């Protein structure tokens, strides 16, 4: 891809002071985008956010961090207004924040249901409602939503429900927002760097997953971030409403 593909473009990435969101922020900056990163407002996260800001600025683009709790619609509103005040225009949204919880429904408390649904799913509706009108007016926009392999199984509780919702809202928004804006989702399988968190409560997960994987390795954060950048590139101008599964073939249904 051209080195400065997103020169002059501005991106907002939620949940981006660390992990996949941070790598995505750095990747879009490497391709020339100025980036606003968002995350929760804690001192520990702020320190991680500062490190990401330094990495972004090293590419010669602008960067800003806006802490906001995406589970509160007033906070999402403030985040989007601040993003516009900072950069005047947002061209790319990556709705990345998406907490994981696979408690069985009978053990799930209502607060957790709300948290998982609000951040994974409702936040997409809220950021899009705030920022899509100016994208349409500017004649160009890209929205990338984070889905997950869990959307394609039925034993991952409310996380499955939220991620199925992500796939469906991606299709509905694609219909609503064309031709200026494309809306797509990425559904990673297990991400390599996040394995320790999963292995903690499912020690055989890695072995079972690998046994099903034709490519025999897990996808990395950098690989997903590059695919997000690709989808925002002109090569994908006619792709919208799609949910792209990236899992090394481990999640191909079989009997
Ligand atoms: N990690 C994986 O293996 C995996 C697999 C498939 C899909 N995904 C999806 O990819 C995305 C990123 O995954 P990850 O593991 O890097 O995420 P993560 O769990 O590390 O969270 C990313 C960031 O989101 C922030 N966040 C949480 N609640 C927030 C809130 N209310 N407001 C603002 N920020 C908040 C966290 O503080 C964190 O820094 C998520 O949507 C996730 O569902 C991840």
């Amino acid at each position: 891809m051209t080195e400065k593909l997103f020169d002059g473009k501005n991106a907002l990435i939620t949940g981006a002071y660390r992990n996949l969101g941070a790598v995505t922020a750095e990747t879009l900056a490497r391709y020339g985008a100025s980036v606003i990163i968002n995350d929760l407002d804690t001192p520990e996260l702020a320190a991680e956010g500062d490190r990401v800001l330094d990495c972004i600025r090293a590419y010669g683009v602008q960067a800003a961090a806006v802490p906001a709790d995406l589970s509160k619609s007033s906070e999402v509103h403030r985040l989007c207004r601040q993003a516009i005040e900072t950069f005047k225009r947002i061209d790319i949204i990556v709705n990345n924040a998406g907490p994981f919880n696979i408690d069985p429904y009978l053990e799930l408390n209502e607060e957790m249901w709300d948290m998982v649904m609000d951040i994974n799913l409702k936040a997409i509706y809220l950021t899009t409602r705030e920022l899509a009108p100016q994208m349409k007016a500017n004649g160009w926009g890209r929205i990338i939503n984070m889905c997950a392999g869990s959307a394609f199984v039925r034993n991952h509780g409310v996380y499955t429900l939220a991620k199925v919702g992500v796939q469906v809202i991606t299709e509905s928004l694609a219909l609503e927002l064309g031709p200026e804006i494309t809306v797509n989702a990425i559904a990673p399988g297990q991400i390599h760097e996040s394995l320790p968190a999963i292995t903690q409560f499912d020690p055989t997960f890695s072995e079972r997953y690998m046994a099903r994987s034709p490519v025999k390795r897990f996808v990395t954060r950098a690989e997903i971030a590059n695919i997000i950048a690709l989808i925002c590139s002109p090569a994908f101008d006619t792709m919208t409403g799609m949910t792209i599964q990236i899992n090394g073939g481990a999640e191909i249904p079989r009997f």
Side-chain angles (χ1 to χ4, degrees):
M1 277 204 306
T2 323
E3 207 41 43
K4 293 297 171 196
L5 189 67
F6 303 128
D7 205 9
K9 298 268 194 277
N10 304 321
L12 167 66
I13 307 177
T14 65
Y17 288 10
R18 58 183 172 179
N19 301 347
L20 177 61
V23 178
T24 303
E26 290 166 32
T27 303
L28 294 184
R30 176 153 50 83
Y31 287 116
S34 290
V35 183
I36 291 184
I37 53 171
N38 147 266
D39 212 300
L40 288 168
D41 193 3
T42 73
E44 298 75 28
L45 282 168
E48 299 209 45
D50 285 343
R51 186 198 59 77
V52 181
L53 291 177
D54 287 345
C55 291
I56 296 171
R57 290 181 184 130
Y59 291 107
V61 296
Q62 313 249 340
V66 181
D69 181 348
L70 300 169
S71 68
K72 299 184 171 73
S73 59
S74 60
E75 288 275 282
V76 180
H77 176 72
R78 183 180 54 74
L79 165 66
C80 294
R81 287 308 93 203
Q82 248 176 279
I84 293 292
E85 274 163 30
T86 308
F87 283 165
K88 312 292 176 236
R89 216 183 66 227
I90 292 295
D91 308 291
I92 297 169
I93 310 171
V94 183
N95 286 302
N96 170 74
F100 178 74
N101 180 290
I102 61 168
D103 289 347
Y105 280 111
L106 296 193
E107 292 165 24
L108 177 73
N109 67 52
E110 208 176 322
E111 290 73 29
M112 185 60 77
W113 166 293
D114 287 343
M115 199 265 278
V116 172
M117 292 298 282
D118 287 352
I119 302 169
N120 278 281
L121 182 56
K122 188 178 177 187
I124 293 175
Y125 148 66
L126 293 173
T127 58
T128 303
R129 195 180 60 170
E130 292 275 348
L131 296 172
Q134 52 92 47
M135 286 178 171
K136 273 188 98 67
N138 295 331
W140 193 90
R142 296 285 174 265
I143 299 174
I144 308 289
N145 301 322
M146 289 311 301
C147 186
S150 297
F152 305 94
V153 297
R154 291 294 175 263
N155 62 337
H156 284 183
V158 70
Y159 186 67
T160 284
L161 194 60
K163 293 303 195 186
V164 168
V166 171
Q167 182 178 16
V168 174
I169 198 172
T170 295
E171 294 173 12
S172 301
L173 290 174
L175 291 174
E176 216 171 298
L177 299 179
E180 298 88 350
I181 304 172
T182 66
V183 189
N184 291 290
I186 307 286
Q190 181 56 45
I191 298 174
H192 175 75
E193 292 92 333
S194 304
L195 256 183
I198 302 298
T199 309
Q200 241 175 16
F201 69 87
D202 185 349
T204 66
F205 175 86
S206 179
E207 200 182 314
R208 285 186 286 115
Y209 199 92
M210 225 17 73
R212 294 175 62 94
S213 168
V215 307
K216 297 296 172 209
R217 70 173 183 82
F218 293 94
V219 64
T220 65
R221 288 175 185 150
E223 287 174 315
I224 294 168
N226 269 316
I227 290 166
I228 290 172
L230 261 177
I231 290 175
C232 295
S233 80
F236 285 80
D237 274 354
T238 56
M239 190 180 87
T240 192
M242 293 292 110
T243 294
I244 314 296
Q245 290 181 259
I246 309 167
N247 52 45
E251 296 172 24
I252 296 170
R254 65 197 83 182
F255 183 67

